[in-house]
């Protein structure tokens, strides 16, 4: 017999308490804090924070990046304020111009409908040289990150400059609702308090003061809100270390929030190696769930979208009431030499410019699969977060079959969270899955027949979910959102998982229209639901429509607001709110389906709005103007971690390529060159803009947006050769290619280009850009030789 997974709702261990923060000090109207959750306007609230560094993005990208974040379900933007970016010279005033204009960035966040958390530092890390401290701080004769009077004088002046710059943006009416002090400081709670005093003195205030609490950090809890993190993999472990245990822990449901592995290689003697406990006066909250991962020279992870989304899913199931991602929007360092490196005393060599982080939104605003998988979770939180925030997590008493699962519930209803995904060491398929759930006096055994949970899937299934007066006893489908049309009953949107039978049950006295239903004891069961809509009617006449989406449709599901009402949009292209309509970032012809319909509805209830773009092919040519030469063996300055080639080695040994892109390209219309290559390190130059990458098998995308209208663009590319025995960690697919190399290799195997115009979509019609372009991605170069 397959195992029956049993659990009984467990109530909170202690009564909810109200810490002084946000309630008695730095009060913000409508915002309060309890030991269980943050509350907004009297309701429990699960905020979703996405990290974007304004100084790592060009000013002209800010608006679209923030609108994409909002479309992805982000409610708060977190950003480091890197001192070294603003004040490289001691006796010069900090620079807050152009893409360093922090006030303009925060103002734009507010206009977009997003709150802000300032990660103020002054030591930030963020893979920036000196952790963000200017060189003149590091080269001084006083100790940094301490209460030494001269260091504090420098910080006081820096905070004062920020305070003057942000005048009016902090305080009761500003968008800044949180300020993080320092970062990964393990044993100086007094210094964190001093920094808080200096920030307040400068006029920098917020209802939530935070600090990173991983690594068993000794922080002044109560004066700061402890926040945690978790990554699927990281560049900061040694080349031969394998998949570290600290990463593995995040694919389970548990009461562990502290991750002592984050920042461990920089902690030095401060690192304890022990796992700290969550503080009982504050809820479980995160600020650094890995939205992706950077690459160091010695170790180059390539996480999948499922890796990223499964970690976030497990944190929600474990009880998180604040989901925070690092990074959510990638970027590029604004000047040469700002990265952490072996040459500047760090244990990792990072690319000089590239901080794409393989984030859900890339450095050039690419929208990746991880964006879509996380967006589904965030749509659920937008609609049901106020309920979930007050639900305690109950973990199974014992391992009764290997399934990773948890119940988050309030004694009346809840959600069963399941994770069957794990990178590197895949979890097996789980057959015969069914549950025995006790919620107060209510006992549910479901589904009515056991189902199979395939390897790689994760899901959250509702139990006793009430919507519009109708109760869904259980469903083997994920909850996405609720749509409330102007007329008719609300619509509960559910999504299926590939390979999982989609069933739903309501109380026996209900009726169903639009799908067959079977009476089973105390339940009316609707089996094997397919994409479409049905109607449920309760015994008292209350009605609820249920819209089921396939797993593929779920990855195209957007939930923007139109005229103040949430709607459901299915589109493969990004869909953004824009005044009274929608903007579609279309790189190809797209079909946009809207529910409730705007105009004539199809049989499925959606109205359809085609977005067609002119087909204007672009020709991409790749010319190798100089072959690579045999590189020297990699240097190992840090034990277990090879160093990147020096600039001189790169110049001498790299293959040189001239890439031309021919075809219409309007000024400012976002355009990307996509390169597939085999090599160790690559760099590019276009219109004076430099980019680089450490190869890990992924497609490299380079921004070739022209500054003026043109029909011809030229990009110079260097590819440093990869040797068969290079001492770097590569993902499996890239490592397989390396293993087959007969000799050092530096080549571009394919190249293509595309443009991403924005088209405005309105009810019944769409108004485009004056001359919207569509550049078909034309394969212009392909060869299989791998030797130099």
């Amino acid at each position: 017999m397959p195992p029956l997974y049993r659990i009984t709702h467990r109530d909170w261990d202690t009564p909810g308490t109200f810490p002084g923060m946000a309630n008695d000090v730095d009060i913000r109207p409508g915002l309060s804090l309890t030991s269980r959750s943050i509350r907004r306007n009297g309701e429990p609230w699960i905020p979703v924070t996405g990290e974007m560094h304004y100084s790592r993005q060009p000013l002209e990208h800010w608006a679209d990046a923030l609108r994409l974040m909002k479309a992805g379900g982000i409610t708060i933007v977190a950003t480091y304020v890197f001192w070294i970016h603003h004040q490289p010279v001691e006796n010069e005033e900090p620079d807050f111009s152009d893409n360093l204009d922090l006030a303009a960035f925060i103002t734009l966040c507010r206009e977009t409908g997003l709150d802000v958390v300032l990660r103020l530092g002054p030591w930030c890390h963020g893979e920036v040289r000196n952790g963000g401290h200017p060189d003149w701080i590091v080269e001084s004769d006083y100790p940094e990150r301490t209460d030494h009077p001269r260091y504090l004088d420098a910080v006081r002046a820096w905070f004062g400059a920020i305070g003057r710059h942000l005048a009016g943006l902090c305080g009761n009416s500003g968008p800044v609702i949180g300020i993080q002090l320092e970062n990964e400081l393990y044993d100086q709670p007094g210094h964190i308090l001093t920094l808080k005093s200096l920030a307040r003195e400068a006029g920098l205030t917020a209802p939530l003061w935070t600090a990173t609490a991983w690594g068993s950090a000794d922080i002044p809890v109560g004066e700061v809100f402890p926040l945690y993190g978790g990554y699927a993999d990281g560049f900061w472990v040694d080349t031969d270390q394998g998949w570290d245990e600290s990463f593995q822990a995040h694919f389970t449901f548990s009461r562990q929030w502290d991750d002592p592995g984050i920042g461990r290689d920089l902690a030095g003697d401060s690192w304890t190696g022990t796992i700290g406990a969550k503080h009982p006066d504050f809820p479980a909250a995160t600020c650094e769930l890995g939205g992706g991962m950077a690459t160091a020279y010695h170790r180059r992870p390539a996480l999948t979208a499922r890796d990223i989304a499964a970690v976030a899913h497990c944190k929600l199931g474990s009880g998180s009431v604040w989901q925070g991602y690092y990074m959510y929007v990638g970027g590029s360092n604004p000047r040469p030499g700002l990265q952490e490196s072996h040459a500047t005393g760090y244990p990792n060599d990072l690319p000089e410019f590239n901080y794409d982080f393989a984030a859900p939104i890339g450095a050039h605003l690419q929208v990746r699969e991880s964006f879509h998988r996380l967006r589904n979770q965030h749509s659920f939180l937008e609609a049901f977060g106020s309920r979930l925030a007050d639900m305690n997590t109950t973990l199974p008493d014992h391992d009764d079959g290997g399934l990773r699962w948890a119940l988050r519930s309030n004694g009346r209803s809840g959600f069963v969270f399941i994770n069957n995904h794990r990178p590197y060491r895949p979890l097996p398929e789980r057959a015969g899955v069914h549950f025995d759930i006790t919620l107060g006096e209510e006992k549910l055994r479901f589904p009515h027949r056991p189902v199979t949970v395939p390897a790689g899937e994760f899901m959250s299934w509702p139990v006793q979910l009430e919507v519009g007066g109708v109760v869904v006893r259980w469903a083997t489908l994920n909850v996405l959102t609720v749509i409330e049309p102007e007329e008719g009953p609300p619509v509960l949107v559910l999504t299926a998982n590939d390979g999982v039978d989609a069933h739903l049950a309501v109380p026996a006295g209900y009726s169903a229209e639009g799908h067959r239903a079977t009476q089973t004891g105390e339940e009316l069961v609707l089996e094997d639901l397919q994409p479409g809509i049905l109607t449920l009617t309760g015994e008292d006449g209350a009605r609820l429509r249920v819209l089921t989406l396939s797993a593929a449709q779920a990855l195209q599901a957007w939930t923007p607001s139109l005229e103040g009402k949430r709607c459901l949009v299915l589109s493969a292209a990004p869909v953004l709110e824009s005044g009274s309509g929608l903007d579609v970032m279309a790189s190809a012809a797209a079909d946009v389906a809207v529910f409730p319909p705007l105009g004539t509805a199809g049989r499925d209830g959606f109205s359809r709005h085609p977005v067609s773009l002119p087909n204007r092919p672009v020709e991409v040519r790749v010319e190798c103007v100089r072959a690579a030469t045999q590189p020297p063996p990699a240097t190992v300055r840090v034990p277990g971690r090879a160093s990147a080639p020096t600039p001189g080695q790169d110049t001498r040994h790299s293959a040189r390529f001239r890439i031309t892109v021919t075809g219409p390209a309007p000024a400012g219309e976002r355009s990307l060159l996509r390169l597939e290559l085999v090599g160790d390190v690559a760099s590019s130059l276009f219109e004076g803009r430099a980019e680089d990458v450490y190869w890990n098998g992924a497609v490299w995308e380079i921004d070739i947006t022209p500054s003026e209208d043109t029909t011809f663009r030229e990009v110079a590319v260097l590819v440093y050769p990869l040797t068969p025995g290079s001492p770097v960690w590569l993902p499996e697919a890239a490592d397989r290619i390396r293993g087959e190399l007969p000799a050092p290799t530096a080549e571009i195997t394919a190249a293509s280009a595309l443009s991403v115009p924005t088209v405005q979509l309105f009810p019944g019609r769409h108004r485009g850009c004056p001359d919207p372009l569509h550049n078909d991605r034309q394969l212009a170069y392909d060869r299989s030789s791998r030797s130099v």
Side-chain angles (χ1 to χ4, degrees):
M1 287 289 292
L4 181 63
Y5 299 101
R6 302 177 185 273
I7 211 164
T8 298
H9 161 78
R10 178 179 175 181
D11 209 349
W12 298 92
D13 293 334
T14 57
T17 58
F18 291 83
M21 185 184 298
N23 302 313
D24 304 322
V25 182
D26 295 326
I27 298 172
R28 173 68 58 90
L31 189 72
S32 60
L33 179 64
T34 79
S35 59
R36 295 179 183 174
S37 68
I38 302 169
R39 291 181 175 263
R40 195 159 209 176
N41 300 323
E43 292 288 328
W45 175 48
I46 298 184
V48 183
T49 303
E51 188 98 7
M52 171 184 168
H53 298 154
Y54 61 95
S55 58
R56 279 171 157 160
Q57 275 288 342
L59 178 70
E60 59 268 22
H61 280 183
W62 287 356
D64 281 345
L66 293 173
R67 290 200 301 152
L68 279 168
M69 293 178 81
K70 186 176 183 182
I74 298 299
T75 58
I76 302 173
V77 179
T79 189
Y80 277 136
V81 184
F82 293 117
W83 195 353
I84 193 173
H85 287 184
H86 290 269
Q87 194 181 19
V89 179
E90 180 175 9
N91 296 319
E92 292 184 359
E93 284 295 310
D95 182 4
F96 290 104
S97 64
D98 299 325
N99 68 314
L100 298 177
D101 192 341
L102 176 58
F105 178 74
I106 294 175
T107 299
L108 191 56
C109 289
R110 176 168 57 186
E111 293 172 354
T112 311
L114 300 167
D115 292 316
V116 176
V117 169
L118 286 179
R119 304 185 83 186
L120 195 59
W123 192 92
C124 297
H125 197 190
E127 289 67 68
V128 173
R129 189 175 81 229
N130 310 331
H133 276 164
D135 293 341
W136 53 269
I137 288 285
V138 178
E139 294 165 0
S140 67
D141 59 359
Y142 51 80
E144 54 188 299
R145 306 179 75 183
T146 70
D147 276 356
H148 190 283
R150 290 178 61 197
Y151 176 68
L152 295 182
D153 285 345
V155 173
R156 181 179 289 108
W158 167 232
F159 281 4
I162 298 173
R164 292 188 297 274
H165 177 66
L166 298 184
L169 292 173
C170 294
N172 284 348
S173 59
V176 177
I177 67 167
I179 295 177
Q180 178 183 309
L181 298 165
E182 252 284 344
N183 188 39
E184 298 170 359
L185 191 65
Y186 299 94
D187 56 0
Q188 295 192 63
H191 181 55
I192 292 176
L193 286 176
T194 301
L195 293 175
K196 182 176 180 180
S197 176
L198 293 179
R200 292 174 62 87
E201 177 186 309
L204 299 167
T205 62
L208 300 174
W209 294 85
T210 73
T212 55
W214 48 78
S216 305
D218 182 8
I219 61 175
V221 177
E223 291 287 342
V224 292
F225 187 155
L227 298 181
Y228 301 91
Y231 291 86
D233 199 355
F235 65 80
W236 50 79
V237 299
D238 290 343
T239 304
D240 59 356
Q241 192 168 336
W243 193 38
D244 190 76
E245 184 178 346
S246 63
F247 306 129
Q248 299 176 39
H250 304 301
F251 292 89
T252 62
F253 301 100
S254 74
R255 304 195 188 282
Q256 177 184 329
W257 294 94
D258 183 21
D259 182 344
I262 304 175
R264 179 172 61 190
D265 59 344
L266 298 181
D269 294 338
S270 300
W271 188 67
T272 65
T274 61
I275 298 173
K278 183 189 80 66
H279 197 282
D281 292 341
F282 286 82
T286 63
C287 63
E288 286 199 20
L289 298 178
M293 182 47 57
T295 56
Y297 181 75
H298 74 280
R299 186 177 176 91
R300 310 176 188 184
L303 301 178
T304 70
R306 289 178 185 269
D307 298 341
I308 293 162
V311 169
H313 177 82
C314 286
K315 295 305 177 187
L316 274 180
S318 297
S320 171
V321 296
W322 187 348
Q323 295 284 89
Y325 300 98
Y326 189 99
M327 297 288 294
Y328 192 82
V329 180
S332 301
N333 291 326
R335 299 191 303 276
L338 287 173
Q339 83 282 14
E340 72 173 53
S341 64
H342 290 173
T344 54
Y346 277 75
N348 308 298
D349 254 341
L350 273 291
E352 186 169 32
F353 296 102
N354 188 321
Y355 203 67
D356 179 85
F357 217 84
I361 301 172
H364 307 313
L365 307 191
Q366 312 97 305
V367 174
R368 296 182 168 125
E369 183 186 335
S370 56
F371 177 98
H372 301 299
R373 292 193 178 277
L374 291 175
R375 184 192 60 227
N376 288 353
Q377 296 180 23
H378 304 159
S379 294
F380 163 63
L381 292 179
E382 180 191 25
F384 291 95
S386 60
R387 301 192 200 185
L388 190 71
D390 265 356
M391 291 180 175
N392 188 35
T393 291
T394 305
L395 301 175
D397 291 332
H398 60 282
D399 183 350
D400 51 4
L403 187 70
R404 299 181 176 202
W405 71 290
L407 171 69
R408 195 162 174 181
S409 55
N410 58 15
R412 302 176 302 280
S413 64
F415 298 89
V416 172
F417 286 80
I418 303 166
N419 177 48
N420 205 35
H421 175 78
R422 184 175 62 184
Y424 303 115
R425 303 171 188 169
L427 296 169
E429 174 187 280
R430 302 293 181 185
V433 172
H434 57 151
F435 297 95
D436 193 318
I437 306 293
T438 301
L439 297 172
E441 299 299 318
E442 189 74 38
K443 296 183 182 294
L444 298 93
R445 180 169 291 190
F446 77 96
H448 63 298
R449 65 170 189 258
V451 297
T452 295
V453 176
E457 294 294 318
F458 43 89
M459 57 212 71
S460 55
W461 292 345
V463 180
Q464 289 292 97
L465 178 65
E466 183 274 326
V467 179
V470 172
V471 175
V472 175
R473 280 180 60 81
W474 55 263
T476 58
L477 297 128
N478 308 292
V479 177
L480 182 72
T481 191
V482 171
I483 305 297
E484 297 182 350
E486 293 287 348
E487 299 179 358
V491 180
L492 176 65
V493 184
L494 304 175
T495 67
N497 286 81
D498 284 331
V500 179
D501 296 336
H503 309 312
L504 179 150
V506 293
Y510 282 31
S511 63
E513 179 183 348
H515 192 85
R516 69 182 185 281
T518 304
Q519 195 81 24
T520 306
E522 299 179 355
E523 296 177 337
L524 187 69
V525 178
L526 289 77
E527 295 185 306
D528 301 320
L529 295 177
Q530 300 299 314
I533 196 163
L534 59 91
T535 302
L536 302 172
T537 303
E539 294 177 271
D540 61 358
R543 299 171 67 233
L544 174 69
R545 289 188 288 172
V546 176
L547 174 59
T548 301
L549 301 179
S550 68
Q553 288 175 319
L555 294 181
Q556 297 186 0
W558 307 77
T559 54
S561 291
L562 278 173
E563 298 181 347
K565 298 284 289 185
R566 182 189 301 138
C567 64
L568 175 66
V569 176
L570 300 182
S571 170
V575 175
L576 314 180
E577 295 177 9
S578 176
S580 61
L582 302 173
D583 277 354
V584 182
M585 289 183 170
S587 61
D591 178 43
V592 178
V594 181
F595 181 90
L598 299 174
T600 304
R603 295 181 62 182
D604 59 0
F606 287 81
S607 61
R608 284 188 155 71
H609 310 265
V611 176
S612 58
L613 301 174
N615 186 357
R616 297 184 177 176
V618 168
E619 181 182 16
V620 181
R621 294 184 178 277
V622 178
E623 177 187 3
C624 183
V625 297
R626 192 191 74 179
T629 60
Q630 177 74 40
T635 302
V636 180
R637 300 184 189 180
V638 177
R641 306 183 184 195
S643 300
T646 65
Q649 290 171 336
D650 193 33
T651 301
R652 286 192 299 273
H653 300 289
S654 291
R656 292 178 180 270
F657 296 90
R658 179 176 178 264
I659 302 177
T660 56
V661 182
T662 306
E669 183 175 274
R670 190 157 53 91
S671 187
L672 299 177
L673 174 65
R674 307 181 80 246
L675 299 182
E676 297 178 34
L677 61 90
V678 177
D680 187 21
V681 176
S683 60
S684 69
L685 189 66
F686 171 72
E687 288 193 353
R689 302 195 301 264
E691 300 192 32
D692 55 5
V693 70
Y694 292 160
W695 181 75
N696 66 357
V699 173
W700 182 29
E701 295 177 315
I702 302 168
D703 184 7
I704 55 170
T705 303
S707 56
E708 299 178 349
D709 291 356
T710 186
T711 58
F712 180 82
R713 287 165 287 176
E714 182 175 314
V715 186
V717 174
L718 295 180
V719 181
Y720 190 81
L722 178 72
T723 62
S726 60
V728 301
W729 186 93
L730 292 173
E732 183 179 357
D735 189 46
R736 190 181 310 116
I737 292 173
R738 175 177 56 181
E740 297 172 354
L741 296 178
T745 301
E747 64 175 11
I748 296 173
T749 59
S752 57
L754 77 158
S755 291
V756 191
T758 297
V759 175
Q760 290 184 305
L761 182 69
F762 289 90
R765 60 194 175 97
H766 58 271
R767 297 190 311 206
C769 304
D771 187 18
L773 292 178
H774 167 49
N775 293 339
D776 275 346
R777 291 182 291 176
Q778 301 278 331
L779 184 63
Y781 182 73
D782 198 344
R783 69 190 181 105
S784 57
S785 170
R786 286 204 178 117
S787 63
V788 298

